[in-house]
């Protein structure tokens, strides 16, 4: 089972890493699946790390993403976490809609993690942009 402090360490390492490969190796099983509600399903290290990256042609091109953990619950091999996600645009981008360099936007996320041998094996996200939630 992953403890609250281990999960906080994961979120801090995720936020600090420019190359997410080490974060993946430390916290995810090699055949992990990452299910994003807007961007699709990513399988294995190469697809997931490429999606998390912010370089040209990556899943987060022009975006720096910061996870702000709000709630954490674990039971056995399952974790539920609530985040506020901060996205800062380092260039003009079309990540979750057209965005301009210098803009910051936010989302609310519920994430569910299934663990195998102490590592994340499957992650499912539910995500609302805060601006969408405020302007239905």
């Amino acid at each position: 089972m992953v403890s609250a402090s281990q999960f906080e360490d994961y979120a801090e390492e995720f936020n600090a890493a420019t190359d997410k490969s080490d974060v993946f190796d430390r916290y995810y099983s090699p055949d992990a699946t990452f299910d994003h509600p807007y961007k699709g399903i990513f399988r294995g290290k190469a697809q997931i790390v490429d999606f998390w990256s912010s370089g040209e042609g990556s899943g987060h091109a022009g975006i720096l993403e910061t996870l702000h953990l709000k709630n954490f619950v674990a039971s056995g091999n399952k974790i539920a976490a609530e985040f506020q996600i901060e996205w800062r645009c380092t260039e003009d981008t079309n990540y979750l809609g057209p965005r301009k360099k210098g803009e910051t936007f936010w989302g609310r996320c519920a994430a569910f993690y299934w663990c195998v041998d102490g590592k994340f094996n499957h992650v499912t996200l539910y995500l609302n942009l805060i601006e969408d939630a405020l302007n239905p």
Side-chain angles (χ1 to χ4, degrees):
M1 174 146 81
V2 176
S3 71
S5 64
Q6 289 170 318
F7 196 82
E8 289 169 359
D9 290 345
Y10 158 70
E12 288 176 16
E13 287 182 46
F14 183 92
N15 291 341
T18 52
D19 177 356
K20 309 285 193 217
S21 296
D22 288 341
V23 173
F24 183 93
D25 290 341
R26 200 168 6 273
Y27 293 97
Y28 286 78
S29 52
D31 61 345
T33 301
F34 190 86
D35 187 350
H36 191 284
Y38 299 113
K39 298 293 186 170
I41 298 174
F42 304 91
R43 291 179 175 82
K45 180 179 179 176
Q47 286 185 7
I48 294 171
V49 169
D50 182 59
F51 171 67
W52 287 338
S53 297
S54 59
E56 186 175 335
S58 69
H60 284 77
I63 295 291
L64 290 178
E65 178 177 64
T66 304
L67 307 176
H68 299 275
L69 181 62
K70 299 299 178 187
N71 289 297
F72 169 88
V73 177
S75 178
N77 67 342
K78 297 176 185 146
I79 296 169
E82 177 188 20
F83 298 96
Q84 282 194 342
I85 302 177
E86 175 184 3
W87 294 288
R88 280 184 264 141
C89 302
T90 58
E91 60 188 57
D92 290 352
T93 184
N94 197 33
Y95 186 77
L96 300 178
R99 310 287 176 184
K100 296 290 183 190
K101 181 179 180 177
E103 182 180 349
T104 299
F105 63 106
W106 292 80
R108 287 188 300 209
C109 176
F112 297 91
Y113 298 76
W114 288 263
C115 300
V116 173
D117 297 327
K119 291 193 171 194
F120 308 140
N121 189 57
H122 184 92
V123 180
T124 298
L125 302 180
Y126 297 90
L127 179 64
N128 287 325
L129 295 178
I130 290 180
E131 60 200 34
D132 291 346
L134 297 175
N135 301 305

